[in-house]
Amino acid sequence: MPSTITAEKSAWRKSVREFPLSDDERSRSDALLIAQFLRLPQLKSCDSILLYYGIAPEPDTKQLLEPLQAMGKQVFLPVCLPNRQMEARQYCGSTRLSPGSFHIPEPCEGCPSVKPNDLSLILVPALCCDSHGYRLGHGGGYYDRYLSSYSGLSVALCRDALLTPSLPVEPHDKPVDLILTETRCLSFFPEKRSGAAPRFSCRRSVSAAAVVTATAASTAIVAATATVVAAPAAATAADQDDDDQDDPAATAAPTIVPTAHKNFTSFII
């Protein structure tokens, strides 16, 4: 039998996948998220970056491939391996991509691979995120396993409308360091989790006029951030979180409603 937390995560995924967003709204949201990432101050010092090839309802992150290469960055994409393992393989152009295990383009064999801690930054997939730095993925557990061997900067993109105060979380779930929305950078410093000194911070890096422009554009997409009431998490092993096959016994999909958030450090970038 699936755990209660597994059922809750499946319900969340169903709700996010059904969230109403027109093609135009999605495109405008994607453009703002991509712009936020490209002007992230920490990006300047990063030389090797693991992206993901976003599929709906995720942001269209393939728009980042060419700009990052033009900046001189080494860009890598994930490759799914047996036993729910993953490796980072260098992006060597669109002609060197082939459909992977989930029909998502992956770099072909022969493209160089790197170990997790050889990467400067990992952009982690997220259907939605919460105000504690946790994200909801597709449920395979690939990134939680991969992040357990990684100590660098982790970033997630999340639409303002899909940022919630709390998600169902299990012990193996790994929070990210930064969450970027269309209008904000949410920082979750390592010392809040481990007592270590902060490795980085977000600072204002655009003019007030640019912030107003981005905010106005985002307002056309979302009126507020979102929430749902989730039951307390039940402990389970990472290997049991195979929600990429949504459980038929899952709880009803949560209803996303507007709310406010105060549990994170928020900056405009």
Side-chain angles (χ1 to χ4, degrees):
M1 291 292 292
S3 68
T4 300
I5 198 72
T6 296
E8 290 172 1
K9 287 182 175 182
S10 293
W12 268 95
R13 291 185 182 97
K14 184 177 187 297
S15 183
V16 172
R17 287 165 182 156
E18 294 176 352
F19 188 79
L21 205 62
S22 71
D23 290 343
D24 285 345
E25 289 170 337
R26 188 180 303 279
S27 294
R28 290 196 297 269
S29 173
D30 285 356
L32 288 168
L33 290 169
I34 296 301
Q36 286 280 70
F37 183 80
L38 289 174
R39 64 173 170 252
L40 187 66
Q42 292 80 9
L43 188 59
K44 295 178 181 179
S45 60
C46 294
D47 53 12
S48 53
I49 300 166
L50 177 62
L51 298 184
Y52 62 93
Y53 203 99
I55 56 174
E58 296 167 335
D60 183 15
T61 52
K62 64 178 178 289
Q63 296 180 42
L64 286 167
L65 291 170
E66 290 187 8
L68 289 173
Q69 285 191 314
M71 294 167 64
K73 311 297 184 183
Q74 284 189 315
V75 180
F76 296 81
L77 290 173
V79 175
C80 294
L81 303 175
N83 301 316
R84 296 181 180 269
Q85 299 300 312
M86 189 178 86
E87 73 174 3
R89 240 178 244 173
Q90 190 166 3
Y91 173 69
C92 301
S94 59
T95 60
R96 301 290 303 279
L97 295 176
S98 60
S101 303
F102 301 99
H103 307 290
I104 300 172
E106 298 178 346
C108 299
E109 289 187 20
C111 294
S113 62
V114 295
K115 297 184 182 300
N117 275 327
D118 289 332
L119 295 163
S120 306
L121 182 152
I122 295 180
L123 186 62
V124 186
L127 295 173
C128 61
C129 295
D130 73 12
S131 59
H132 303 283
Y134 289 96
R135 51 141 206 138
L136 184 71
H138 288 282
Y142 289 89
Y143 274 86
D144 288 323
R145 293 180 182 86
Y146 197 81
L147 291 171
S148 67
S149 301
Y150 175 70
S151 59
L153 178 63
S154 58
V155 182
L157 303 180
C158 178
R159 305 186 199 281
D160 277 311
L162 297 175
L163 181 68
T164 183
S166 181
L167 285 169
V169 172
E170 296 173 274
H172 65 266
D173 289 329
K174 304 295 182 185
V176 296
D177 297 309
L178 299 175
I179 293 174
L180 301 180
T181 76
E182 295 96 330
T183 59
R184 288 173 291 174
C185 170
L186 315 179
S187 301
F188 307 93
F189 294 115
E191 76 271 20
K192 292 183 179 179
R193 301 196 292 270
S194 66
R199 293 174 291 164
F200 34 73
S201 62
C202 284
R203 295 183 175 85
R204 298 178 183 271
S205 61
V206 292
S207 67
V211 171
V212 170
T213 300
T215 304
S218 180
T219 302
I221 304 169
V222 292
T225 51
T227 188
V228 67
V229 176
T236 186
D239 289 336
Q240 295 175 324
D241 185 21
D242 46 357
D243 297 338
D244 42 277
Q245 298 177 357
D246 285 338
D247 188 84
T251 56
T255 301
I256 297 176
V257 295
T259 191
H261 306 284
K262 297 181 180 178
N263 295 331
F264 45 69
T265 303
S266 178
F267 299 83
I268 303 290
I269 63 171

